[in-house]
Amino acid sequence: MRRLTFVLAGLLLAGIFNPSKSYAQQAEPERDIRALASSPQWLTTKVYIEGAPEKDVKANYPGVVGISMWDPQRNRYEFFYTDTGRSKYADGGGGYFLVTGDRKTHILVPDAGPTRTVVRRLEKLDSSEFTYSREVPRDMVANQSTVRIYVVHAPYNGPIKTAMSN
């Protein structure tokens, strides 16, 4: 018992007189994530299939088209319909998001709805454009072959005003 007391006291003193050095570096601000906050609303401006950027196929993918809001302070998102401004929250259109440390992946974790997690490849994100891509069934029809779609957003300045549910 006495030996254990001396060992513990020695370790304590060693820690006090020889503090460990931290080699951790201060992380740079998450510029990409903060770019989402540069506009209160983002509008889907184009959807195209990989290899055919000249052809807009928004009409075939209405589930990814809309107005979106992003709150990087709370890592929250919410989607809205472009015609009415009504929230898509109850159908999985709202929840938490994150951008991975390598800034290549954008992950959505809905609060509600049938989908639990959506993983998207981050293509471009700055104050004028937010573009992601993901693989989905062609025309979003089950049992179709998968294609990679690119969904392009721009800051929205139109008449529809939205507010986050949570």
Side-chain angles (χ1 to χ4, degrees):
M1 183 71 168
R2 189 172 192 178
R3 181 179 241 176
L4 180 61
T5 304
F6 282 123
V7 170
L8 291 176
L11 288 173
L12 180 63
L13 289 173
I16 292 172
F17 293 116
N18 188 14
S20 64
K21 294 181 182 175
S22 174
Y23 294 100
Q25 296 177 353
Q26 186 71 14
E28 71 178 68
E30 296 290 338
R31 287 172 297 173
D32 291 339
I33 295 172
R34 300 220 187 279
L36 288 170
S38 64
S39 174
Q41 299 169 310
W42 291 82
L43 176 67
T44 308
T45 57
K46 184 177 186 178
V47 177
Y48 63 92
I49 295 174
E50 186 169 52
E54 68 285 347
K55 186 175 180 188
D56 190 353
V57 292
K58 275 192 308 198
N60 299 359
Y61 298 91
V64 300
V65 176
I67 298 171
S68 60
M69 295 185 72
W70 304 91
D71 181 351
Q73 298 298 322
R74 299 183 309 135
N75 283 47
R76 301 284 299 166
Y77 73 92
E78 191 163 344
F79 303 140
F80 303 86
Y81 291 98
T82 56
D83 55 349
T84 63
R86 188 173 61 85
S87 174
K88 296 181 179 184
Y89 183 84
D91 298 319
Y96 289 94
F97 78 94
L98 66 97
V99 174
T100 57
D102 62 4
R103 298 185 177 134
K104 294 180 181 179
T105 307
H106 187 242
I107 302 169
L108 304 180
V109 182
D111 289 338
T115 304
R116 287 290 160 231
T117 303
V118 178
V119 179
R120 313 180 318 177
R121 188 166 73 196
L122 191 55
E123 302 293 341
K124 181 175 182 183
L125 180 55
D126 60 31
S127 60
S128 64
E129 182 181 322
F130 167 38
T131 300
Y132 69 85
S133 69
R134 66 185 264 217
E135 289 189 358
V136 298
R138 182 175 292 280
D139 300 330
M140 298 295 261
V141 175
N143 300 324
Q144 290 283 353
S145 60
T146 58
V147 295
R148 179 164 291 278
I149 60 170
Y150 291 75
V151 184
V152 182
H153 301 81
Y156 176 67
N157 302 342
I160 295 176
K161 301 301 177 208
T162 57
M164 294 186 89
S165 300
N166 288 317

